[in-house]
């Protein structure tokens, strides 16, 4: 059981770890950091070295079992920042429940399994074990963040030299396949869908999704980094979570309704984790969008810019975690949403 | 005095003029079209041929004194569409006032004047005359839309061969200079600022802006196309306008406050005309943004994607007119906003 | 039998048809223009409206059975231009043979056939008939240019609503599928490969290619525009052709060897038609390239820029026809090459 | 006096330092590495984190006075790689002269001086001292490589808050200003031009350039890293250099003429250092190019892709050092060129 608190700091660049010093001023020891979840300012696509640079800058400072999830792309009003999830079982206040979290890394995903059932099963099993270890109900889990690998052209050539056809021969598309496999694994582990529905969805038959999964892909790792965030009656701290779903790319109501509920509960929004994607049908509420026919800007960049403005408006600042590529993370064209908020003094 | 109504139609591509046929079903004769104001799906920058294609497709169908204003860039959730402003003095209903509009074209702007006082004065004088001809008070003007030229590298070379240094030697930057000169000319014509403030602002000394100017630049024309939209007590129709200002790139409150006011007045939102730009300071509400250091995507594209999501959420669909590059159109980092809305039956 | 000559003119923009006036100064009547083959300055990808704009500008001036092939993308040192292929059976000189050409358009390619055997067969049959009508041997054919359709996201949604899975659900990738089907159809028509090899290659089993096919795809048409260029003993004019193959993206020797041969034959290079692509293996001569992992610039743009510099250096100016996406047009990573050159006075 | 040898290794990514291990197999001790000069696979522009990542990966392995020069951008056929310049005074063979090199870092360039005379003078003085310390004639210097800072939007805001107008308010343009100041400083230090000509050229009056300067800019440093490469009669090794100039973006003759001369001297090409830029006039050999009106791809990326293909063709592989932005490095539209080559056994 690990109670947690959250600190968010802006970054001056992908290699900026000044948050460590600032966190120390809040009494945070680096060994208590469970996870660093950051938005970095690269393109968020295959050749995004801002993520690799952040991981290289942060990992030497963290304990071996901490995870980093750097999501590239701060389009539009989004602001580069890091969220530190910090183990803290001593909140000093008496709440009836609290936020807990667990972080781990899967075994390396074989290249042949990337974007396929092998990856889906590895994520599912790991998440299921993490939930069991945390001792929480799946309904108390509000967010499962995954950072997963992609296929570079070197990987694709290597696979083919072994006579294996990769899940995709297009490097950018492999990111989507990897996010899809991870997200469907999470959806099964959270009992949102059953295994057959997950397999069908992965194979392109039918739709299925999780409203609590947030997956991003990158070239900087070969296993999956996983973070599970849940509420637990066995912890005592003021951090709470709420999840919902944007039904399309400008479903502001989903966000303002959640914000109103948090306000009603006496909470203050601390962070939003939102997934964004271009509606794969090519239109939103009956009108054509052009994100999928723009050969100059990948659709994930468009979607982050758009949804990022909504999330920033609701939080009041641009340091929100909006990640692109929402395959099976919320319904097609929409995206999963988790708010973290903090209650006031319980007395 | 020309009373007007507004019809908005989606387009299937920049050369789609099917709106003419659809408008005919509403009883619209092409010769009654005063202005076609469209969002087209190019990059909105120097080499945006979607604007040129739209102008080439539309202009043969319009009367000679009609103007076209095609603004490129439908990033994020924005949807390509055209807005037809149609002369209609026979609304058949008895309103105490109504929307009127005038459209015209300046003389060609000499290349040496582009982005300079020559252009500013030409726009100012033309707008002033248009307002006088409409017989409305400047306070009743809610929107002045301008489409103005830019400098291509051919233009820059030509100027230099004459020993004249262009306002900018960078083609993309010349778009900003042209929008700036046009917008300051409008601000003076609308009595929002005086001539000295405009000259200073154009020279980079001090800030000054209009909340009713909306300027976009393109390579497809060499003069300025101007459209003035105002309310008049001498017209009778249900179309109304309201202008405001976004103070920064995610100032959703500016939009929702205006929408609430329109609702209170019994109006239904018909269209938003919003300008967007990356805050030139490099930060918004104290947090760094990365639009000005992204060498892969120009900042105007980022800004349209972000602000477009807010405008679409408020209107309820993506066919909103959000244009990038808000130099002197709203305060720095913000943007001018005009809502057109329609009252219900007056009886 | 149509003897032809070639005139090449620079363009000031995609809608520049001043070449018509300049050609008239060479005695060319617009009705004698068989084909307009241009390089336009868009991105050469899905949302390249420069091609559509050129087609819209040119087609009203041409006779109904003339074809236009506009290939987008003038990256690097490439210069926008048009090549006019003009019917001319009256060269006035006595050559033992001459260049002939035929142009035609297939029936519309059904969306379900795009990138599939239906398209391949349609191109093959049309090219075969054109060669027969010209009365030339397949070995005398040096270039078959095709402009073929792609799938937009609207097309993809429409197909799926009919329960049909498109050849690709990615709009950019659909361009490659379309070029592949066209090129393999040409290879069969030219007896370079047999039908089984073509079917296998289209299905991703084995490799096969034509060294004389040049295919480009665009959203501006729904059928295939085809141009066949051949030498014939039944014509008499000084235009000649030579085809070869670049084996990889910087196979300059292929070009200089051909240029040396032309020089030896007393010819002057008039134009190069070259296809370019990123080596699908991810490396060239054993060293990694990054064109396939660059999520900011599509690989076709990279390839055109690179190969364009070699072709320009050999011709001596940037108005060369270099087209991106060389699926089955030359070996993988290489590209088909055709030189048109002109002999001096035969006396 | 430091005799040097050169080893070039491909990289699998910006953080790949496996060259250290491979160099050790050639008997190289890391402390003997004077300079690491690499091409990394970012966009080569403001937000290129591949350079920062490479510097972070390499610098811990190098001695404190070694310099790193990472130039971003491997467009087209260019291949990411590192060149190690290694101190080696024991070549074991008896040559009448040899290659020598010196590396150093200037003091930090004040933000207010960036792109101005302060930076130009700092580079000039440092290079002059390096040449004096090496004890070589300026005519024996064949290459001066500089990596210099740029202005981020944070820098620009900071300067303005101090009432200082930066050399450019556009981050991408600041790269060009910084390269210009460095290159003109080099040209003066090499006696290619005098100080007045340099000042005038920096101010935009007249043209002036060095054929031996190669400057690149990046956000990853605040001082200038400088490397001087010269031949010296006091060293004995087989490495030689030759410099020339490309007169425009496809001046292949400049490269093949140099290659022929090297062949005639019995040398084998080991590396090319070439600068590339879009001709600022907007045309090459009288024909329009579109690199300066392309708002999707910065002109430096176009230029590297084009010139890179020529350099790769001449060397025979893509691991050539082609750097974009050739302000005052070769004439306008052209670029400076240095070949390093190796003689055979002198016996």
């Amino acid at each position: 059981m690990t109670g947690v608190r959250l600190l968010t700091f802006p970054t001056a660049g992908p290699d900026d770890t000044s948050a460590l010093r600032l966190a120390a001023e809040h009494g945070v020891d680096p060994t208590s950091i469970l996870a660093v979840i950051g938005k970095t300012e690269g393109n968020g696509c295959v050749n995004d070295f801002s993520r690799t640079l952040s991981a290289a800058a942060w990992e030497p400072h963290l304990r071996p079992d901490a995870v980093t999830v750097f999501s590239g792309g701060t389009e539009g009003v989004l602001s580069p920042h890091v969220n530190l999830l910090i183990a803290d079982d001593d909140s000093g206040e008496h709440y009836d429940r609290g936020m807990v979290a667990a972080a781990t890394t899967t075994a390396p995903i074989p290249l042949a399994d990337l974007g396929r059932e092998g990856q889906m099963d590895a994520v599912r099993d790991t998440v299921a074990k993490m939930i069991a270890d945390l001792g929480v109900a799946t309904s108390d889990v509000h967010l499962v963040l995954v950072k997963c690998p992609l296929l570079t052209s070197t990987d694709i050539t290597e696979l083919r030299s072994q006579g294996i056809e990769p899940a995709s021969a297009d490097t950018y598309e492999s990111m989507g396949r990897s996010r899809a496999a991870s997200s469907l694994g999470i959806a099964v582990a959270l009992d949102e869908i059953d295994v057959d529905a997950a397999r069908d969805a992965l194979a392109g038959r039918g739709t299925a999704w999780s409203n609590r999964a947030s997956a991003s892909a990158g070239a900087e790792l070969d296993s999956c980094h996983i973070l599970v965030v849940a509420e637990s009656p066995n912890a005592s701290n003021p951090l709470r979570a709420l999840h919902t779903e944007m039904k399309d790319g400008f479903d502001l109501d989903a966000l303002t309704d959640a914000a109103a509920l948090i306000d009603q509960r006496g909470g203050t929004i601390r962070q939003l984790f939102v997934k964004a994607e271009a509606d794969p049908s090519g239109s939103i509420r009956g009108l054509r969008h052009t994100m999928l026919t723009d050969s100059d800007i990948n659709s994930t960049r468009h979607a982050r810019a758009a949804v990022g403005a909504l999330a920033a408006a609701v939080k009041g600042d641009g340091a929100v975690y909006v990640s692109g590529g929402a395959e099976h993370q919320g319904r097609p064209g929409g995206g999963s949403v988790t708010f973290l908020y903090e209650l006031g003094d319980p007395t």
Side-chain angles (χ1 to χ4, degrees), chain A:
Chain A
M1 176 52 48
T2 308
V4 290
R5 61 176 170 145
L6 173 75
L7 290 175
T8 299
F9 299 102
T11 53
D15 53 352
D16 178 9
T17 57
S18 64
L20 281 170
R21 183 173 45 74
L22 297 169
E25 292 171 11
H26 288 73
V28 174
D29 187 276
T31 61
S32 65
I33 298 173
L34 281 184
V36 180
I37 307 150
K39 284 299 307 178
T40 64
E41 57 203 278
N43 61 19
C45 305
V46 179
N47 60 331
D48 182 345
F49 301 108
S50 72
R51 292 181 310 237
T52 322
L53 181 57
S54 283
W58 275 93
E59 289 176 359
H61 299 288
L62 303 177
R63 67 190 212 201
D65 61 342
V67 298
T68 57
V69 176
F70 292 107
S71 161
T74 55
E75 292 81 3
V77 302
L78 292 171
S79 185
H81 70 279
V82 287
N83 302 286
L84 307 184
L85 213 54
I86 300 154
D88 184 2
D89 284 322
D90 179 28
S91 80
E93 314 223 34
H94 304 291
Y95 294 92
D96 64 339
R97 53 201 279 124
M99 191 69 62
V100 296
T104 196
T105 298
T106 64
I109 305 295
L111 295 180
D113 284 353
L114 194 137
R116 292 194 166 127
E117 291 194 9
Q119 178 180 345
M120 182 174 86
D121 294 349
V123 171
R124 178 200 61 194
D125 293 348
T126 305
V127 172
K129 185 172 183 314
M130 292 169 82
I131 295 172
D133 290 350
L134 278 172
V136 296
T138 55
S139 60
D140 274 332
V141 176
H142 290 283
L143 176 65
V144 182
L145 263 175
V146 177
K147 181 85 203 191
C148 44
L150 57 77
L151 295 174
T152 63
S153 46
T154 307
D155 295 333
I156 291 164
T157 301
E158 186 178 323
L159 271 177
R160 285 180 165 171
S161 74
Q162 300 166 21
I164 300 168
E165 193 54 27
S168 169
D170 179 86
T171 59
Y172 176 71
E173 189 180 312
S174 78
M175 300 179 78
R177 299 293 174 98
S178 183
R179 290 187 299 254
S182 292
S183 300
L184 289 167
I186 293 168
V188 175
L190 293 180
D191 295 327
E192 293 176 289
I193 58 172
D194 66 25
V195 171
D196 287 344
R199 287 195 181 146
D200 283 353
L202 190 62
R205 298 184 302 267
T207 51
W209 65 86
S210 167
N211 279 347
R212 292 173 268 171
S214 174
S216 56
E220 70 275 20
L221 73 183
D222 59 5
S223 56
C224 294
H225 289 189
I226 306 182
L227 176 72
V228 172
V229 178
E231 286 187 17
S232 167
N234 299 325
S236 168
N237 63 47
L239 205 57
R240 296 288 178 276
L242 176 159
H243 68 265
T244 180
E245 179 200 15
M246 286 180 68
K247 289 192 182 62
D248 61 33
F250 53 93
D251 182 10
L252 177 61
D253 289 348
L255 303 185
T256 52
D257 287 354
L261 192 58
I262 290 168
D263 189 57
Q264 198 178 308
R265 292 174 183 173
T268 304
I269 297 171
R270 294 293 310 285
Q271 189 51 289
L272 287 82
F273 296 85
V274 187
K275 291 295 306 191
E277 74 175 4
D279 196 302
S281 74
S283 68
I284 309 176
R285 302 190 198 177
L287 289 178
R288 187 170 66 103
H289 69 76
T290 61
M291 299 186 257
L292 297 172
T293 49
D294 187 340
S295 301
D296 299 312
I297 302 181
N298 274 315
S299 66
T300 45
R301 302 201 73 180
H302 279 285
R304 271 191 300 270
V307 172
L310 302 175
V314 168
K315 183 177 176 219
D317 71 61
V320 284
Y321 185 91
V322 176
S323 166
E327 300 82 359
H328 310 291
Q329 303 151 71
R331 75 190 61 200
S336 60
V337 179
T338 299
F339 283 76
L340 296 191
Y341 61 96
E342 192 163 315
L343 298 176
D345 192 308
T347 56

